[in-house]
């Protein structure tokens, strides 16, 4: 049987340490068995979709290219082609290139791994290879010998192998194990997607420690660790590990001295140096309407009083364009500075109805970042994006602020007459060294 493999050469993933100098090559097999089906779907389709999902999490600082084999000629072990040279990820270009691969040929796993490793070795960069295959090498390569040779070549090289709906004769696992890599099994589309996500997930940044403080709201009352500015108990509740809060009066954190239900985390202390405050949430931000929607807002920040605070927030303007913004706002002594970026708009090609559903059903993570005197607002979507093929993490430009004061705080509200409901299920503080 011919098979298909996807090979990814990249240091930052799986078992390897991160490096901004590493690069990657993804090798897509165009061998004939790619037209085989699992649960009624061709394997080539499953592979394209799994790769595209993986690309949604691809780190911006890791160059990647695309190679294919077996897609132009039958029976030719030398049919290997670089479709995209390694460089910054262009997800649309990747999709288009993968769509051009029509399975027909053989499965030269060994030759493809060698060629990709050679292409990425010229600048003395460390590399690794991740192979996903539904079949075995059928062009005569000894994968055990190849792995041993690459391991002793002086290159920092590791091979990880995902076997997709196959039984291994030992060669695939040998290639992985001889280079210090891992062999993984995937039986269907879901497991293939999970395996690719695993290999594309960066290891934790060694400069960032684990959380100093975490609250997952697993109790019936907030307790002494929290203080609520002008509490209105009808507007919040702890339920099933979530702090559920809804608007009781129009406004935002910091807009008025007596704004109700600003939640301050008194039990947490921010470190002296660099840090991040992050909150995971889902939110009901209204529906799409003809003349603009709900003017909703969700905020995370550091709050002392209405004249001294810094917050990052998602805000839905509710205007005729119904645009949404990620906004960083710093107020010191009553003087405000703002950095923001538009993230969606109903009249700008965005599927705003789908975005609103994703905020409610999948959720997001909102983070205020301090780096020296620079502050940044960050939004991380949970396995979704504002537009198909778009990034799953968005940041504002930095604001330089000499000093801030106050406790970590969260808030959800509206700038109009309609209610906003947010469900916070976690907040944490991390020190960044």
């Amino acid at each position: 049987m011919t098979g298909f493999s996807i090979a990814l050469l990249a240091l930052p993933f799986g078992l390897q340490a991160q490096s901004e100098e590493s690069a990657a090559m993804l090798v897509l097999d165009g061998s004939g068995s790619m037209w085989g089906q699992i649960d009624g779907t061709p394997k080539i389709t499953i592979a394209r979709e799994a790769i595209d999902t993986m690309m949604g999490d691809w780190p911006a600082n890791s160059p990647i290219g695309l190679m294919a084999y077996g897609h132009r000629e039958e029976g030719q072990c030398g049919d290997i082609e670089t479709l995209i040279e390694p460089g910054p990820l262009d997800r649309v270009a990747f999709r288009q290139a993968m769509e051009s691969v029509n399975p027909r040929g053989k499965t030269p796993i060994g030759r493809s791994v060698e060629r990709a490793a050679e292409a990425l070795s010229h600048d003395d960069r460390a590399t690794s290879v991740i192979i996903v295959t539904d079949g075995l090498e059928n062009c005569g390569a000894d994968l055990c010998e190849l792995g041993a040779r690459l391991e002793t070549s002086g290159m920092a090289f590791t091979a990880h192998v995902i076997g997709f709906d196959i039984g291994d004769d030992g060669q695939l696992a040998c290639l992985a194990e001889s280079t210090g890599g891992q062999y993984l099994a995937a039986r269907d589309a879901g497991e293939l997607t999970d395996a690719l996500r695993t290999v594309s997930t960066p290891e934790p940044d060694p400069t960032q420690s684990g959380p100093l403080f975490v609250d997952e709201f697993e109790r019936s009352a907030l307790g002494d660790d929290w203080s609520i500015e002008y509490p209105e108990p009808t507007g919040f509740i702890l339920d099933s590990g979530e702090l559920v809060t809804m608007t009781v009066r129009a406004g935002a954190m910091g807009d008025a001295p007596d704004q109700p239900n600003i939640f301050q985390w008194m039990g947490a202390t921010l470190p002296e140096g660099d840090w991040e405050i992050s909150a995971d949430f889902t939110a009901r931000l209204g529906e799409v309407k003809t003349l603009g929607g709900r003017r909703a807002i969700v905020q995370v920040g550091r709050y002392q009083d209405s004249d001294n605070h810094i917050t990052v927030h998602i805000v839905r303007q509710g205007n005729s364009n119904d645009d949404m913004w990620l906004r960083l706002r710093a107020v010191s002594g009553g003087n405000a500075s703002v950095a923001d970026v538009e993230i969606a708009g109903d009249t700008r090609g965005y599927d705003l109805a789908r975005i609103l559903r994703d905020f409610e059903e999948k959720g997001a993570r909102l983070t205020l970042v301090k780096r020296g005197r620079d502050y940044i607002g960050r939004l991380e979507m949970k396995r979704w994006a504002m537009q198909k093929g778009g990034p799953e993490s968005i940041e504002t430009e930095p604001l330089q602020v000499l000093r801030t004061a106050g406790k970590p705080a969260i808030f959800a509200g509206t700038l109009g007459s309609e209610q906003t409901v947010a469900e916070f299920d976690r907040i944490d503080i991390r020190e960044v060294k």
Side-chain angles (χ1 to χ4, degrees):
M1 161 174 103
T2 58
F4 83 88
S5 72
I6 305 164
L8 169 67
L9 289 103
L11 178 66
F13 310 108
L15 305 179
Q16 302 301 310
Q18 284 190 327
S19 168
E20 292 188 359
E21 300 300 324
S22 61
M25 181 75 80
L26 191 146
V27 182
L28 175 60
D29 180 346
S31 63
S33 65
M34 284 291 278
W35 289 122
Q37 297 187 357
I38 293 180
D39 296 330
T41 302
K43 293 177 183 178
I44 183 65
T45 302
I46 295 172
R48 289 169 181 152
E49 293 176 353
I51 293 168
D52 188 55
T53 298
M54 179 184 70
M55 291 304 167
D57 297 323
W58 193 263
N61 64 350
S62 294
I64 184 168
L66 178 64
M67 181 181 290
Y69 63 73
H71 59 297
R72 296 175 297 184
E73 300 178 75
E74 295 182 10
Q76 297 298 318
C77 290
D79 183 13
I80 302 169
E81 180 185 15
T82 299
L83 300 174
I84 298 176
E85 295 289 342
L89 173 63
D90 183 336
R91 198 168 171 187
V92 173
F94 252 71
R95 285 199 198 102
Q96 292 173 344
M98 287 191 295
E99 289 293 332
S100 72
V101 175
N102 293 309
R104 65 180 53 159
K106 296 180 74 67
T107 310
I109 295 174
R111 292 191 192 185
S112 297
V113 170
E114 285 186 284
R115 185 174 296 187
E118 181 182 359
L120 294 169
S121 66
H122 300 305
D123 297 327
D124 296 323
R125 293 175 294 197
T127 58
S128 66
V129 60
I130 297 160
I131 306 163
V132 182
T133 178
D134 80 333
L136 306 177
E137 163 71 39
N138 64 3
C139 283
D142 184 333
L143 299 185
C144 290
E145 185 275 332
L146 172 61
R149 178 157 43 88
L150 290 170
E151 181 66 11
T152 59
S153 66
M155 297 171 58
F157 186 90
T158 303
H160 304 296
V161 181
I162 301 171
F164 185 32
D165 193 37
I166 61 170
D168 182 27
D169 67 345
Q171 282 274 307
L172 299 176
C174 187
L175 174 61
E177 293 165 3
S178 62
T179 59
Q182 186 178 11
Y183 179 80
L184 304 172
R187 295 169 295 182
D188 53 29
E191 291 186 1
L192 177 59
T193 299
D194 290 343
L196 285 168
R197 280 174 172 164
T198 297
V199 301
S200 66
T201 300
E203 287 209 338
D205 187 339
T207 65
Q208 180 171 298
S209 61
L212 299 175
F213 299 92
V214 179
D215 195 336
E216 295 182 330
F217 304 111
E218 296 286 351
R219 55 193 183 278
S220 59
L222 282 173
D224 294 338
D225 280 348
W226 288 84
S227 174
I228 307 170
E229 291 288 299
Y230 295 91
E232 174 48 67
T234 62
F236 68 91
I237 189 173
L238 263 69
D239 182 45
S240 301
E242 294 178 327
L243 170 59
V244 184
T245 176
M246 70 179 185
T247 305
V248 295
R249 194 181 76 196
M253 186 195 310
D255 278 359
D258 59 348
Q259 181 66 42
N261 291 349
I262 297 174
F263 299 90
Q264 290 181 278
W265 195 6
M266 310 303 290
T269 302
L270 291 168
E272 290 293 327
D274 294 341
W275 44 258
E276 297 181 356
I277 308 171
S278 301
D280 295 338
F281 70 95
T282 57
R284 278 164 272 179
L285 305 176
E287 299 176 351
V288 177
K289 295 185 177 180
T290 303
L291 297 177
R294 184 176 306 174
R295 301 186 67 199
I297 187 168
V298 178
Q299 292 175 280
V300 174
R302 187 178 193 185
Y303 183 83
Q304 179 170 287
D305 54 43
S306 60
D307 287 333
N308 298 278
H309 57 273
I310 182 167
T311 64
V312 56
H313 43 282
I314 300 298
V315 56
R316 183 181 175 196
Q317 300 280 63
N319 53 17
S320 58
N321 294 328
D322 212 356
D323 21 339
M324 300 180 69
W325 295 75
L326 175 64
R327 180 165 294 153
L328 176 66
R329 186 169 185 261
V331 178
S332 180
N335 298 312
S337 301
V338 175
D340 54 18
V341 56
E342 185 177 8
I343 57 177
D346 192 41
T347 63
R348 292 176 172 83
Y350 291 85
D351 184 349
L352 189 59
R354 192 268 303 164
I355 291 170
L356 294 172
R357 286 197 305 272
D358 283 344
F359 268 118
E360 182 173 353
E361 297 172 2
K362 299 178 181 178
R365 182 173 177 86
L366 197 56
T367 300
L368 175 63
V369 180
K370 178 183 181 294
R371 297 288 187 273
R373 293 174 180 172
D374 285 340
Y375 290 78
I376 297 168
R378 180 191 303 144
L379 174 68
E380 297 168 89
M381 284 72 77
K382 296 188 175 181
R383 304 291 184 193
W384 60 280
M386 294 292 173
Q387 287 182 306
K388 188 175 181 181
E392 293 186 16
S393 180
I394 301 171
E395 291 187 351
T396 67
E397 292 295 321
L399 278 181
Q400 189 167 92
V401 183
L402 297 184
R403 61 175 61 90
T404 60
K407 286 292 186 177
I410 52 179
F411 178 83
T414 182
L415 305 179
S417 59
E418 297 181 280
Q419 288 184 328
T420 298
V421 179
E423 300 176 358
F424 294 96
D425 55 32
R426 177 187 170 99
I427 182 171
D428 60 60
I429 293 172
R430 295 175 183 269
E431 182 178 16
V432 180
K433 298 180 181 179

